[in-house]
Amino acid sequence: MIGLANVERARKLGHPFVVVGRGFEEVGVHVSFAVSTTASVPFAIKRYWRQILKQIGEVSFGYASLLAGGGTLGIVFAMSAVAAMMVGVETYRGLDLIGMTSLSGMLSAIANTRELAPVVASIALAAKVGTGFTAQLGAMRISDEIDALDAMAVRSIPFLAATRLVASVVCIIPLYMVGLLAAFVATRVVIVNFSGSSAGTYDYYFHLTLGPSDLWYSLTKAVVFAIVIALVHCSYGFHASGGPERVGRAAGRALRTSILAVGIIDVVLTFALWGLVPSVPGVAT
C-alpha cells in the first residue's frame, strides 16, 4: 500500500504518473468550464445583454482595437495578403511545370476560401483579443474580483465568460471578410499582373469553382475557431492563480493551446465539411 509520504515525495520529484494525472485534471477543469460557459450563453444573452454590447464595443474599438486605428483588421489584411501572395506564386509555378496555368484561378478560390482566410483571422483573434481576455480575467481572479461577484450573487461564468464568447463570435465575421477579400485580391494580382496570366481565364475558373457553400463552410470554420479561442483564453484567465507573473504565463499557455487547437480542428472540419474526397463546383468528377 502506497503511503501518503511516498505520494508527496513523488509529487515533489515530478513523477511521470503524477504529471500525467495533473494533466488530465487540468484538461477536465477546462472542459468543464467550456461546457458551463456554452450552456450559459442563453442566460447571458437574456440577463447580461448590456455586458455583451460592452464587450463587443471593447473588442471592436477599445483595448483590443479590432476595428479602430488599423488594429487587428490591419494585421489580418496584411497577413492574408502576404500569405495569399505566396499561394499565388507557388500555385502558378507548380501548374506551369505541367502546362496548366489556366487553372490558377480554381486553386486560388479553393485554397484561400477553405483554409487561408479562416485560419489567419482566427490566429489574429487569438493573438490580440484572446490574450486580452486571459489577462483581464486573470487580473480579476488574483485581485479577488471574481470571488466578489460570486459573493454578490452574480453568476461569474455567464457574466465574464459567456459574454466574451458571444462578442468573439460577432467580431470574427468582419475579420474573416477582410482576410478573405485580401487573399482574393493579392492572389489575383500576383498571378495576373506579375506572372502575366490571362485575366479572363483566371476569373472564369475562379468564379466557376467558388460556390456559395464554400463561403458558408469557410465562415462556419471561422466561427468555430472563434468559439474555441474564446473558451480557451477565458478558461485560462478564470483559473489563473498567484501573481501577475502567473497571469502572464497563463496568457502564453492559452495562446499556444488555442493555436494548436485551431490547427487540429481545422483538419477535422475540412474533412467533415468537404469530405475526404472533396468535390469542386462546376468541375465534373
Side-chain angles (χ1 to χ4, degrees):
M1 192 171 188
I2 301 177
L4 294 178
N6 294 330
V7 174
E8 182 65 18
R9 188 181 301 111
R11 184 187 67 81
K12 292 181 179 179
L13 295 176
H15 195 276
F17 291 106
V18 177
V19 174
V20 172
R22 286 181 180 176
F24 280 111
E25 179 182 0
E26 185 174 356
V27 170
V29 169
H30 292 307
V31 171
S32 300
F33 178 86
V35 173
S36 301
T37 302
T38 305
S40 63
V41 166
F43 176 82
I45 295 175
K46 180 180 178 180
R47 185 73 178 271
Y48 303 127
W49 59 269
R50 291 185 179 87
Q51 180 69 8
I52 293 175
L53 295 179
K54 178 183 176 182
Q55 289 299 325
I56 293 175
E58 287 291 329
V59 172
S60 300
F61 299 100
Y63 70 94
S65 185
L66 187 68
L67 303 177
T72 309
L73 277 182
I75 296 174
V76 170
F77 187 89
M79 292 174 58
S80 300
V82 172
M85 287 181 180
M86 295 299 99
V87 170
V89 169
E90 298 304 326
T91 295
Y92 188 84
R93 286 180 177 178
L95 292 176
D96 187 49
L97 295 176
I98 56 177
M100 299 181 66
T101 55
S102 60
L103 298 179
S104 299
M106 180 184 68
L107 295 184
S108 170
I110 294 175
N112 289 326
T113 306
R114 299 185 181 184
E115 300 296 337
L116 187 63
V119 170
V120 170
S122 63
I123 291 176
L125 184 74
K128 187 120 189 209
V129 179
T131 51
F133 288 167
T134 306
Q136 281 185 328
L137 297 185
M140 294 180 68
R141 170 61 72 184
I142 65 175
S143 61
D144 296 329
E145 293 182 39
I146 296 180
D147 295 332
L149 289 175
D150 294 331
M152 293 186 296
V154 177
R155 295 174 58 181
S156 56
I157 290 182
F159 184 76
L160 297 175
T163 54
R164 285 171 168 81
L165 174 60
V166 176
S168 299
V169 172
V170 172
C171 293
I172 192 63
I173 297 176
L175 274 181
Y176 161 80
M177 295 175 65
V178 167
L180 186 63
L181 177 62
F184 286 162
V185 173
T187 306
R188 189 183 189 282
V189 168
V190 168
I191 294 178
V192 175
N193 297 96
F194 292 166
S195 301
S197 181
S198 171
T201 303
Y202 178 91
D203 292 339
Y204 172 77
Y205 282 103
F206 179 84
H207 293 292
L208 181 66
T209 56
L210 183 61
S213 60
D214 282 345
L215 295 175
W216 283 112
Y217 289 162
S218 181
L219 179 60
T220 300
K221 291 177 69 172
V223 171
V224 172
F225 295 160
I227 293 173
V228 172
I229 289 168
L231 291 175
V232 168
H233 283 271
C234 287
S235 180
Y236 272 94
F238 192 86
H239 296 102
S241 61
E245 181 184 359
R246 298 289 294 274
V247 174
R249 292 182 181 179
R253 294 181 63 189
L255 182 60
R256 294 192 297 269
T257 303
S258 61
I259 291 178
L260 179 61
V262 165
I264 296 174
I265 296 174
D266 179 54
V267 176
V268 175
L269 287 180
T270 298
F271 290 145
L273 296 175
W274 286 282
L276 295 176
V277 182
S279 60
V280 178
V283 178
T285 57

PDB file of all heavy atoms in Angstrom, residues 149-182:
ATOM      1  N   LEU A 149     -17.837  38.908  -7.159  1.00  0.00           N
ATOM      2  CA  LEU A 149     -19.040  38.740  -7.963  1.00  0.00           C
ATOM      3  C   LEU A 149     -19.885  37.577  -7.447  1.00  0.00           C
ATOM      4  O   LEU A 149     -21.115  37.679  -7.351  1.00  0.00           O
ATOM      5  CB  LEU A 149     -18.667  38.506  -9.430  1.00  0.00           C
ATOM      6  CG  LEU A 149     -18.111  39.694 -10.204  1.00  0.00           C
ATOM      7  CD1 LEU A 149     -17.679  39.251 -11.600  1.00  0.00           C
ATOM      8  CD2 LEU A 149     -19.149  40.797 -10.315  1.00  0.00           C
ATOM      9  N   ASP A 150     -19.228  36.457  -7.138  1.00  0.00           N
ATOM     10  CA  ASP A 150     -19.962  35.315  -6.602  1.00  0.00           C
ATOM     11  C   ASP A 150     -20.618  35.657  -5.263  1.00  0.00           C
ATOM     12  O   ASP A 150     -21.739  35.221  -4.976  1.00  0.00           O
ATOM     13  CB  ASP A 150     -19.016  34.122  -6.430  1.00  0.00           C
ATOM     14  CG  ASP A 150     -18.504  33.592  -7.758  1.00  0.00           C
ATOM     15  OD1 ASP A 150     -19.235  33.730  -8.758  1.00  0.00           O
ATOM     16  OD2 ASP A 150     -17.380  33.066  -7.805  1.00  0.00           O
ATOM     17  N   ALA A 151     -19.924  36.447  -4.453  1.00  0.00           N
ATOM     18  CA  ALA A 151     -20.490  36.831  -3.165  1.00  0.00           C
ATOM     19  C   ALA A 151     -21.704  37.734  -3.315  1.00  0.00           C
ATOM     20  O   ALA A 151     -22.603  37.741  -2.458  1.00  0.00           O
ATOM     21  CB  ALA A 151     -19.427  37.537  -2.311  1.00  0.00           C
ATOM     22  N   MET A 152     -21.756  38.501  -4.421  1.00  0.00           N
ATOM     23  CA  MET A 152     -22.898  39.383  -4.680  1.00  0.00           C
ATOM     24  C   MET A 152     -23.993  38.684  -5.483  1.00  0.00           C
ATOM     25  O   MET A 152     -24.884  39.336  -6.028  1.00  0.00           O
ATOM     26  CB  MET A 152     -22.430  40.630  -5.428  1.00  0.00           C
ATOM     27  CG  MET A 152     -21.529  41.534  -4.606  1.00  0.00           C
ATOM     28  SD  MET A 152     -21.139  43.086  -5.460  1.00  0.00           S
ATOM     29  CE  MET A 152     -20.217  42.474  -6.880  1.00  0.00           C
ATOM     30  N   ALA A 153     -23.914  37.355  -5.588  1.00  0.00           N
ATOM     31  CA  ALA A 153     -24.916  36.547  -6.303  1.00  0.00           C
ATOM     32  C   ALA A 153     -24.947  36.850  -7.786  1.00  0.00           C
ATOM     33  O   ALA A 153     -25.989  36.683  -8.438  1.00  0.00           O
ATOM     34  CB  ALA A 153     -26.299  36.730  -5.693  1.00  0.00           C
ATOM     35  N   VAL A 154     -23.810  37.275  -8.351  1.00  0.00           N
ATOM     36  CA  VAL A 154     -23.669  37.457  -9.793  1.00  0.00           C
ATOM     37  C   VAL A 154     -22.963  36.227 -10.345  1.00  0.00           C
ATOM     38  O   VAL A 154     -21.842  35.912  -9.923  1.00  0.00           O
ATOM     39  CB  VAL A 154     -22.871  38.730 -10.133  1.00  0.00           C
ATOM     40  CG1 VAL A 154     -22.677  38.845 -11.646  1.00  0.00           C
ATOM     41  CG2 VAL A 154     -23.584  39.961  -9.601  1.00  0.00           C
ATOM     42  N   ARG A 155     -23.597  35.534 -11.254  1.00  0.00           N
ATOM     43  CA  ARG A 155     -23.002  34.313 -11.813  1.00  0.00           C
ATOM     44  C   ARG A 155     -21.800  34.698 -12.662  1.00  0.00           C
ATOM     45  O   ARG A 155     -21.925  35.303 -13.726  1.00  0.00           O
ATOM     46  CB  ARG A 155     -24.045  33.554 -12.631  1.00  0.00           C
ATOM     47  CG  ARG A 155     -25.203  33.034 -11.788  1.00  0.00           C
ATOM     48  CD  ARG A 155     -26.289  32.419 -12.645  1.00  0.00           C
ATOM     49  NE  ARG A 155     -25.799  31.326 -13.463  1.00  0.00           N
ATOM     50  CZ  ARG A 155     -26.544  30.623 -14.318  1.00  0.00           C
ATOM     51  NH1 ARG A 155     -27.843  30.928 -14.434  1.00  0.00           N
ATOM     52  NH2 ARG A 155     -26.026  29.661 -15.031  1.00  0.00           N
ATOM     53  N   SER A 156     -20.624  34.349 -12.172  1.00  0.00           N
ATOM     54  CA  SER A 156     -19.388  34.849 -12.780  1.00  0.00           C
ATOM     55  C   SER A 156     -19.137  34.278 -14.170  1.00  0.00           C
ATOM     56  O   SER A 156     -18.667  34.993 -15.061  1.00  0.00           O
ATOM     57  CB  SER A 156     -18.194  34.532 -11.870  1.00  0.00           C
ATOM     58  OG  SER A 156     -18.123  33.142 -11.585  1.00  0.00           O
ATOM     59  N   ILE A 157     -19.459  33.016 -14.391  1.00  0.00           N
ATOM     60  CA  ILE A 157     -19.185  32.424 -15.703  1.00  0.00           C
ATOM     61  C   ILE A 157     -20.048  33.053 -16.799  1.00  0.00           C
ATOM     62  O   ILE A 157     -19.518  33.462 -17.843  1.00  0.00           O
ATOM     63  CB  ILE A 157     -19.352  30.887 -15.647  1.00  0.00           C
ATOM     64  CG1 ILE A 157     -18.214  30.271 -14.824  1.00  0.00           C
ATOM     65  CG2 ILE A 157     -19.375  30.292 -17.052  1.00  0.00           C
ATOM     66  CD1 ILE A 157     -18.271  28.756 -14.742  1.00  0.00           C
ATOM     67  N   PRO A 158     -21.362  33.166 -16.633  1.00  0.00           N
ATOM     68  CA  PRO A 158     -22.128  33.866 -17.678  1.00  0.00           C
ATOM     69  C   PRO A 158     -21.725  35.321 -17.830  1.00  0.00           C
ATOM     70  O   PRO A 158     -21.644  35.835 -18.961  1.00  0.00           O
ATOM     71  CB  PRO A 158     -23.581  33.738 -17.206  1.00  0.00           C
ATOM     72  CG  PRO A 158     -23.582  32.585 -16.281  1.00  0.00           C
ATOM     73  CD  PRO A 158     -22.249  32.590 -15.618  1.00  0.00           C
ATOM     74  N   PHE A 159     -21.480  36.008 -16.723  1.00  0.00           N
ATOM     75  CA  PHE A 159     -21.190  37.441 -16.766  1.00  0.00           C
ATOM     76  C   PHE A 159     -19.832  37.736 -17.391  1.00  0.00           C
ATOM     77  O   PHE A 159     -19.677  38.710 -18.143  1.00  0.00           O
ATOM     78  CB  PHE A 159     -21.239  38.015 -15.347  1.00  0.00           C
ATOM     79  CG  PHE A 159     -21.050  39.505 -15.294  1.00  0.00           C
ATOM     80  CD1 PHE A 159     -22.077  40.365 -15.660  1.00  0.00           C
ATOM     81  CD2 PHE A 159     -19.845  40.038 -14.881  1.00  0.00           C
ATOM     82  CE1 PHE A 159     -21.896  41.738 -15.612  1.00  0.00           C
ATOM     83  CE2 PHE A 159     -19.649  41.407 -14.833  1.00  0.00           C
ATOM     84  CZ  PHE A 159     -20.683  42.266 -15.200  1.00  0.00           C
ATOM     85  N   LEU A 160     -18.836  36.910 -17.117  1.00  0.00           N
ATOM     86  CA  LEU A 160     -17.483  37.190 -17.587  1.00  0.00           C
ATOM     87  C   LEU A 160     -17.104  36.407 -18.842  1.00  0.00           C
ATOM     88  O   LEU A 160     -16.476  36.965 -19.744  1.00  0.00           O
ATOM     89  CB  LEU A 160     -16.473  36.869 -16.477  1.00  0.00           C
ATOM     90  CG  LEU A 160     -16.589  37.699 -15.195  1.00  0.00           C
ATOM     91  CD1 LEU A 160     -15.600  37.186 -14.154  1.00  0.00           C
ATOM     92  CD2 LEU A 160     -16.348  39.175 -15.484  1.00  0.00           C
ATOM     93  N   ALA A 161     -17.462  35.124 -18.894  1.00  0.00           N
ATOM     94  CA  ALA A 161     -17.003  34.272 -19.990  1.00  0.00           C
ATOM     95  C   ALA A 161     -18.007  34.198 -21.135  1.00  0.00           C
ATOM     96  O   ALA A 161     -17.638  34.346 -22.305  1.00  0.00           O
ATOM     97  CB  ALA A 161     -16.699  32.871 -19.464  1.00  0.00           C
ATOM     98  N   ALA A 162     -19.276  33.953 -20.823  1.00  0.00           N
ATOM     99  CA  ALA A 162     -20.268  33.797 -21.885  1.00  0.00           C
ATOM    100  C   ALA A 162     -20.446  35.087 -22.680  1.00  0.00           C
ATOM    101  O   ALA A 162     -20.641  35.053 -23.903  1.00  0.00           O
ATOM    102  CB  ALA A 162     -21.606  33.359 -21.296  1.00  0.00           C
ATOM    103  N   THR A 163     -20.372  36.228 -22.020  1.00  0.00           N
ATOM    104  CA  THR A 163     -20.490  37.500 -22.735  1.00  0.00           C
ATOM    105  C   THR A 163     -19.325  37.709 -23.689  1.00  0.00           C
ATOM    106  O   THR A 163     -19.507  38.191 -24.818  1.00  0.00           O
ATOM    107  CB  THR A 163     -20.544  38.661 -21.740  1.00  0.00           C
ATOM    108  OG1 THR A 163     -19.411  38.589 -20.848  1.00  0.00           O
ATOM    109  CG2 THR A 163     -21.819  38.602 -20.918  1.00  0.00           C
ATOM    110  N   ARG A 164     -18.134  37.319 -23.271  1.00  0.00           N
ATOM    111  CA  ARG A 164     -16.967  37.438 -24.156  1.00  0.00           C
ATOM    112  C   ARG A 164     -17.029  36.429 -25.294  1.00  0.00           C
ATOM    113  O   ARG A 164     -16.543  36.707 -26.401  1.00  0.00           O
ATOM    114  CB  ARG A 164     -15.678  37.255 -23.346  1.00  0.00           C
ATOM    115  CG  ARG A 164     -15.328  38.464 -22.494  1.00  0.00           C
ATOM    116  CD  ARG A 164     -14.177  38.161 -21.531  1.00  0.00           C
ATOM    117  NE  ARG A 164     -13.662  39.384 -20.929  1.00  0.00           N
ATOM    118  CZ  ARG A 164     -14.208  40.001 -19.899  1.00  0.00           C
ATOM    119  NH1 ARG A 164     -15.307  39.500 -19.339  1.00  0.00           N
ATOM    120  NH2 ARG A 164     -13.681  41.109 -19.420  1.00  0.00           N
ATOM    121  N   LEU A 165     -17.626  35.281 -25.037  1.00  0.00           N
ATOM    122  CA  LEU A 165     -17.796  34.285 -26.098  1.00  0.00           C
ATOM    123  C   LEU A 165     -18.703  34.823 -27.199  1.00  0.00           C
ATOM    124  O   LEU A 165     -18.382  34.714 -28.393  1.00  0.00           O
ATOM    125  CB  LEU A 165     -18.373  33.001 -25.500  1.00  0.00           C
ATOM    126  CG  LEU A 165     -18.763  31.894 -26.478  1.00  0.00           C
ATOM    127  CD1 LEU A 165     -17.559  31.433 -27.289  1.00  0.00           C
ATOM    128  CD2 LEU A 165     -19.386  30.721 -25.735  1.00  0.00           C
ATOM    129  N   VAL A 166     -19.827  35.400 -26.823  1.00  0.00           N
ATOM    130  CA  VAL A 166     -20.745  35.966 -27.817  1.00  0.00           C
ATOM    131  C   VAL A 166     -20.080  37.110 -28.573  1.00  0.00           C
ATOM    132  O   VAL A 166     -20.213  37.222 -29.803  1.00  0.00           O
ATOM    133  CB  VAL A 166     -22.041  36.438 -27.134  1.00  0.00           C
ATOM    134  CG1 VAL A 166     -22.961  37.107 -28.144  1.00  0.00           C
ATOM    135  CG2 VAL A 166     -22.753  35.273 -26.466  1.00  0.00           C
ATOM    136  N   ALA A 167     -19.346  37.962 -27.873  1.00  0.00           N
ATOM    137  CA  ALA A 167     -18.662  39.080 -28.527  1.00  0.00           C
ATOM    138  C   ALA A 167     -17.624  38.591 -29.529  1.00  0.00           C
ATOM    139  O   ALA A 167     -17.469  39.178 -30.613  1.00  0.00           O
ATOM    140  CB  ALA A 167     -18.007  39.969 -27.478  1.00  0.00           C
ATOM    141  N   SER A 168     -16.929  37.520 -29.218  1.00  0.00           N
ATOM    142  CA  SER A 168     -15.922  36.980 -30.139  1.00  0.00           C
ATOM    143  C   SER A 168     -16.570  36.447 -31.407  1.00  0.00           C
ATOM    144  O   SER A 168     -16.052  36.645 -32.513  1.00  0.00           O
ATOM    145  CB  SER A 168     -15.127  35.865 -29.450  1.00  0.00           C
ATOM    146  OG  SER A 168     -14.451  36.350 -28.319  1.00  0.00           O
ATOM    147  N   VAL A 169     -17.699  35.764 -31.259  1.00  0.00           N
ATOM    148  CA  VAL A 169     -18.398  35.227 -32.437  1.00  0.00           C
ATOM    149  C   VAL A 169     -18.862  36.365 -33.337  1.00  0.00           C
ATOM    150  O   VAL A 169     -18.774  36.280 -34.574  1.00  0.00           O
ATOM    151  CB  VAL A 169     -19.579  34.344 -31.995  1.00  0.00           C
ATOM    152  CG1 VAL A 169     -20.426  33.933 -33.192  1.00  0.00           C
ATOM    153  CG2 VAL A 169     -19.068  33.105 -31.265  1.00  0.00           C
ATOM    154  N   VAL A 170     -19.364  37.439 -32.740  1.00  0.00           N
ATOM    155  CA  VAL A 170     -19.832  38.572 -33.536  1.00  0.00           C
ATOM    156  C   VAL A 170     -18.672  39.251 -34.253  1.00  0.00           C
ATOM    157  O   VAL A 170     -18.770  39.595 -35.434  1.00  0.00           O
ATOM    158  CB  VAL A 170     -20.578  39.579 -32.636  1.00  0.00           C
ATOM    159  CG1 VAL A 170     -20.900  40.858 -33.410  1.00  0.00           C
ATOM    160  CG2 VAL A 170     -21.861  38.962 -32.094  1.00  0.00           C
ATOM    161  N   CYS A 171     -17.544  39.409 -33.574  1.00  0.00           N
ATOM    162  CA  CYS A 171     -16.435  40.189 -34.124  1.00  0.00           C
ATOM    163  C   CYS A 171     -15.559  39.394 -35.091  1.00  0.00           C
ATOM    164  O   CYS A 171     -14.750  39.999 -35.809  1.00  0.00           O
ATOM    165  CB  CYS A 171     -15.571  40.742 -32.996  1.00  0.00           C
ATOM    166  SG  CYS A 171     -16.416  41.976 -31.983  1.00  0.00           S
ATOM    167  N   ILE A 172     -15.686  38.058 -35.108  1.00  0.00           N
ATOM    168  CA  ILE A 172     -14.877  37.290 -36.049  1.00  0.00           C
ATOM    169  C   ILE A 172     -15.356  37.470 -37.474  1.00  0.00           C
ATOM    170  O   ILE A 172     -14.590  37.299 -38.435  1.00  0.00           O
ATOM    171  CB  ILE A 172     -14.893  35.781 -35.683  1.00  0.00           C
ATOM    172  CG1 ILE A 172     -13.823  35.000 -36.465  1.00  0.00           C
ATOM    173  CG2 ILE A 172     -16.254  35.181 -35.956  1.00  0.00           C
ATOM    174  CD1 ILE A 172     -12.425  35.409 -36.168  1.00  0.00           C
ATOM    175  N   ILE A 173     -16.618  37.852 -37.664  1.00  0.00           N
ATOM    176  CA  ILE A 173     -17.182  37.964 -39.011  1.00  0.00           C
ATOM    177  C   ILE A 173     -16.482  39.049 -39.828  1.00  0.00           C
ATOM    178  O   ILE A 173     -16.046  38.789 -40.957  1.00  0.00           O
ATOM    179  CB  ILE A 173     -18.699  38.183 -38.944  1.00  0.00           C
ATOM    180  CG1 ILE A 173     -19.366  36.966 -38.290  1.00  0.00           C
ATOM    181  CG2 ILE A 173     -19.276  38.424 -40.334  1.00  0.00           C
ATOM    182  CD1 ILE A 173     -20.857  37.113 -38.076  1.00  0.00           C
ATOM    183  N   PRO A 174     -16.323  40.286 -39.334  1.00  0.00           N
ATOM    184  CA  PRO A 174     -15.578  41.272 -40.138  1.00  0.00           C
ATOM    185  C   PRO A 174     -14.121  40.887 -40.345  1.00  0.00           C
ATOM    186  O   PRO A 174     -13.545  41.179 -41.401  1.00  0.00           O
ATOM    187  CB  PRO A 174     -15.714  42.571 -39.333  1.00  0.00           C
ATOM    188  CG  PRO A 174     -16.078  42.150 -37.966  1.00  0.00           C
ATOM    189  CD  PRO A 174     -16.879  40.908 -38.117  1.00  0.00           C
ATOM    190  N   LEU A 175     -13.513  40.238 -39.346  1.00  0.00           N
ATOM    191  CA  LEU A 175     -12.128  39.777 -39.526  1.00  0.00           C
ATOM    192  C   LEU A 175     -12.033  38.794 -40.682  1.00  0.00           C
ATOM    193  O   LEU A 175     -11.135  38.891 -41.532  1.00  0.00           O
ATOM    194  CB  LEU A 175     -11.633  39.109 -38.244  1.00  0.00           C
ATOM    195  CG  LEU A 175     -11.026  39.994 -37.155  1.00  0.00           C
ATOM    196  CD1 LEU A 175     -10.577  39.133 -35.997  1.00  0.00           C
ATOM    197  CD2 LEU A 175      -9.896  40.823 -37.682  1.00  0.00           C
ATOM    198  N   TYR A 176     -12.951  37.832 -40.704  1.00  0.00           N
ATOM    199  CA  TYR A 176     -12.951  36.829 -41.761  1.00  0.00           C
ATOM    200  C   TYR A 176     -13.165  37.472 -43.131  1.00  0.00           C
ATOM    201  O   TYR A 176     -12.483  37.131 -44.098  1.00  0.00           O
ATOM    202  CB  TYR A 176     -14.041  35.796 -41.470  1.00  0.00           C
ATOM    203  CG  TYR A 176     -14.443  34.976 -42.666  1.00  0.00           C
ATOM    204  CD1 TYR A 176     -13.672  33.897 -43.081  1.00  0.00           C
ATOM    205  CD2 TYR A 176     -15.595  35.291 -43.391  1.00  0.00           C
ATOM    206  CE1 TYR A 176     -14.041  33.145 -44.184  1.00  0.00           C
ATOM    207  CE2 TYR A 176     -15.966  34.541 -44.481  1.00  0.00           C
ATOM    208  CZ  TYR A 176     -15.184  33.474 -44.878  1.00  0.00           C
ATOM    209  OH  TYR A 176     -15.542  32.741 -45.985  1.00  0.00           O
ATOM    210  N   MET A 177     -14.101  38.389 -43.229  1.00  0.00           N
ATOM    211  CA  MET A 177     -14.399  39.013 -44.509  1.00  0.00           C
ATOM    212  C   MET A 177     -13.223  39.816 -45.028  1.00  0.00           C
ATOM    213  O   MET A 177     -12.901  39.779 -46.225  1.00  0.00           O
ATOM    214  CB  MET A 177     -15.642  39.901 -44.367  1.00  0.00           C
ATOM    215  CG  MET A 177     -16.918  39.138 -44.054  1.00  0.00           C
ATOM    216  SD  MET A 177     -18.341  40.201 -43.755  1.00  0.00           S
ATOM    217  CE  MET A 177     -18.517  40.946 -45.377  1.00  0.00           C
ATOM    218  N   VAL A 178     -12.549  40.543 -44.142  1.00  0.00           N
ATOM    219  CA  VAL A 178     -11.380  41.325 -44.561  1.00  0.00           C
ATOM    220  C   VAL A 178     -10.258  40.396 -45.011  1.00  0.00           C
ATOM    221  O   VAL A 178      -9.603  40.629 -46.031  1.00  0.00           O
ATOM    222  CB  VAL A 178     -10.915  42.233 -43.408  1.00  0.00           C
ATOM    223  CG1 VAL A 178      -9.537  42.810 -43.691  1.00  0.00           C
ATOM    224  CG2 VAL A 178     -11.913  43.360 -43.196  1.00  0.00           C
ATOM    225  N   GLY A 179     -10.015  39.340 -44.261  1.00  0.00           N
ATOM    226  CA  GLY A 179      -8.968  38.403 -44.640  1.00  0.00           C
ATOM    227  C   GLY A 179      -9.249  37.717 -45.962  1.00  0.00           C
ATOM    228  O   GLY A 179      -8.347  37.530 -46.790  1.00  0.00           O
ATOM    229  N   LEU A 180     -10.503  37.327 -46.179  1.00  0.00           N
ATOM    230  CA  LEU A 180     -10.865  36.668 -47.428  1.00  0.00           C
ATOM    231  C   LEU A 180     -10.717  37.611 -48.612  1.00  0.00           C
ATOM    232  O   LEU A 180     -10.183  37.229 -49.664  1.00  0.00           O
ATOM    233  CB  LEU A 180     -12.304  36.157 -47.339  1.00  0.00           C
ATOM    234  CG  LEU A 180     -12.808  35.312 -48.506  1.00  0.00           C
ATOM    235  CD1 LEU A 180     -11.985  34.030 -48.620  1.00  0.00           C
ATOM    236  CD2 LEU A 180     -14.291  34.975 -48.318  1.00  0.00           C
ATOM    237  N   LEU A 181     -11.151  38.859 -48.464  1.00  0.00           N
ATOM    238  CA  LEU A 181     -11.016  39.836 -49.542  1.00  0.00           C
ATOM    239  C   LEU A 181      -9.552  40.100 -49.862  1.00  0.00           C
ATOM    240  O   LEU A 181      -9.157  40.148 -51.040  1.00  0.00           O
ATOM    241  CB  LEU A 181     -11.718  41.140 -49.151  1.00  0.00           C
ATOM    242  CG  LEU A 181     -11.610  42.294 -50.155  1.00  0.00           C
ATOM    243  CD1 LEU A 181     -12.257  41.918 -51.478  1.00  0.00           C
ATOM    244  CD2 LEU A 181     -12.244  43.557 -49.576  1.00  0.00           C
ATOM    245  N   ALA A 182      -8.733  40.253 -48.835  1.00  0.00           N
ATOM    246  CA  ALA A 182      -7.306  40.497 -49.059  1.00  0.00           C
ATOM    247  C   ALA A 182      -6.650  39.319 -49.764  1.00  0.00           C
ATOM    248  O   ALA A 182      -5.793  39.500 -50.647  1.00  0.00           O
ATOM    249  CB  ALA A 182      -6.610  40.767 -47.723  1.00  0.00           C
TER     250      ALA A 182
END
